[in-house]
Amino acid sequence: MSEAIVYLNGEFLPLSEAKVPVLDRGFIFGDGVYEVIPAYSGRLFRIDEHLQRLQNSLDAVRIRNPYSNAEWLQVLTGLLKKNPAEDSSIYLQVTRGVAKRDHAFPANVTPTVFAMANPLVTTDEKTFNQGVAAITRDDSRWQHCNVKAITLLANILLRQSAIDAGAAEAILIRNDDVTEGAASNVFIVSKGVIKTPPKSALLLPGITRDLIVELAQSHKLPIEEVTFSKDALLAADEIWISSSTKEIMPVVKLDGKSVGNGQPGPVARKLFGIFQDYKRELKAIGR
Ligand code: PDD
């Protein structure tokens, strides 16, 4: 396979030639934000929503957006053209830039922009049917989880504790309420009603989450954006997690116990089908 072509500060170049100075504040402080954007058949998925969330993250940490949306589109479509694949996920990050190490913001610094495209293996029927195991953990992160910051040490430790326990994801609990997963949003089904925590500073406003809410509403499936407790999670009939790379993934085991009958539930299955149809329609109309 030929080497991936990545984007760095205005240039497309082979991955092995992409270098960032060690004083980049992304390296020194984790001072930056990022996005992960799926592209199906070469088309960017929900790009306006992703670029809006990028803007919100940049505003929250006071980094100037280096590009207009039209410029971002050029960069991202350029990356897809140079890295052909059926489906891709684009990772992009913007850091505050390179400066002498000092916590305070440096003056007149240019943000560093990096982006790469990786082949995306979407969740097929077989993977969906297997589902995944998850564990619950105290949410040890900061109070600005709505910002998609590259500073992910807490998320990494939480995800690793799931892996160490033989599970795929840690579902996080703050003050007895469920927030989200280490790198996903969380849904439950309880007495026929889908529930997902409302947007707040305590969780990332997932683009997949929003789409699932939209699709459930348009298909008249009862759904509530509502806070629920760890006990409600443990008693749920169904649980799934969502993200741009996992789409909809059933959680069939939680803290070592079966969720429902230990198989993906009917509501998750229905939404999975609706989600696949939605993607197919977008491909068909060329968007
Ligand atoms: N993570 N919550 C957290 C903490 C996340 O990191 C993610 C996604 C989500 C889901 O958001 P979306 O549906 O927009 O992908 C929720 C990405 C995939 C990552 O860090 O790789």
Side-chain angles (χ1 to χ4, degrees):
M1 214 176 87
S2 57
E3 196 182 355
I5 302 295
V6 302
Y7 176 88
L8 182 63
N9 297 330
E11 269 187 281
F12 289 103
L13 70 180
L15 177 62
S16 60
E17 289 171 27
K19 301 258 166 33
V20 178
V22 290
L23 285 183
D24 192 282
R25 287 175 65 101
F27 183 58
I28 296 287
F29 289 123
D31 183 2
V33 301
Y34 77 107
E35 274 296 319
V36 176
I37 310 172
Y40 300 115
S41 303
R43 295 197 181 81
L44 295 158
F45 191 65
R46 300 229 131 185
I47 186 62
D48 295 347
E49 288 82 349
H50 279 282
L51 289 179
Q52 183 59 55
R53 186 172 66 183
L54 174 66
Q55 184 66 54
N56 296 345
S57 295
L58 288 166
D59 289 347
V61 302
R62 295 160 61 191
I63 295 177
R64 153 179 83 77
N65 192 339
Y67 302 148
S68 66
N69 279 3
E71 287 167 330
W72 276 116
L73 276 180
Q74 254 177 13
V75 170
L76 303 181
T77 49
L79 257 187
L80 291 175
K81 283 210 182 79
K82 289 176 196 300
N83 297 276
E86 178 53 25
D87 299 322
S88 311
S89 84
I90 286 188
Y91 174 87
L92 71 84
Q93 75 168 46
V94 181
T95 75
R96 201 175 304 276
V98 182
K100 179 173 168 293
R101 185 179 182 278
D102 180 355
H103 287 63
F105 295 171
N108 305 322
V109 74
T110 306
T112 301
V113 179
F114 171 67
M116 61 183 167
N118 291 307
L120 175 65
V121 182
T122 55
T123 302
D124 60 12
E125 188 99 24
K126 186 163 166 250
T127 319
F128 176 91
N129 285 338
Q130 281 162 356
V132 293
I135 56 169
T136 54
R137 282 289 178 269
D138 279 339
D139 194 339
S140 52
R141 302 172 303 159
W142 66 339
Q143 309 260 356
H144 306 281
C145 299
N146 55 323
V147 179
K148 206 160 169 58
I150 61 170
T151 333
L152 286 174
L153 197 47
N155 304 60
I156 288 167
L157 293 173
L158 289 161
R159 170 62 69 86
Q160 188 58 40
S161 75
I163 305 297
D164 293 345
E169 183 60 307
I171 297 182
L172 310 180
I173 315 290
R174 200 187 286 248
N175 300 328
D176 207 39
D177 291 331
V178 174
T179 53
E180 60 178 338
S184 58
N185 291 110
V186 176
F187 291 76
I188 62 169
V189 178
S190 174
K191 298 193 178 71
V193 179
I194 308 167
K195 296 182 183 179
T196 194
K199 289 189 211 174
S200 75
L202 300 183
L203 56 107
L204 187 79
I207 306 296
T208 323
R209 169 205 181 278
D210 285 357
L211 178 58
I212 293 170
V213 171
E214 256 177 65
L215 292 174
Q217 285 168 344
S218 62
H219 287 76
K220 307 264 182 294
L221 300 174
I223 183 159
E224 291 175 0
E225 297 178 71
V226 62
T227 301
F228 55 85
S229 66
K230 179 178 174 181
D231 282 349
L233 175 76
L234 295 173
D237 303 317
E238 295 185 38
I239 303 173
W240 66 82
I241 53 176
S242 71
S243 76
S244 293
T245 46
K246 295 272 179 328
E247 301 182 343
I248 297 175
M249 179 61 77
V251 173
V252 293
K253 210 176 221 195
L254 183 65
D255 290 341
K257 297 200 186 80
S258 288
V259 176
N261 64 3
Q263 305 287 324
V267 183
R269 191 173 295 284
K270 171 136 197 158
L271 270 166
F272 179 72
I274 293 172
F275 195 93
Q276 301 311 318
D277 289 346
Y278 179 84
K279 285 195 322 190
R280 262 194 298 275
E281 277 163 34
L282 287 190
K283 281 187 187 185
I285 59 172
R287 276 185 52 206

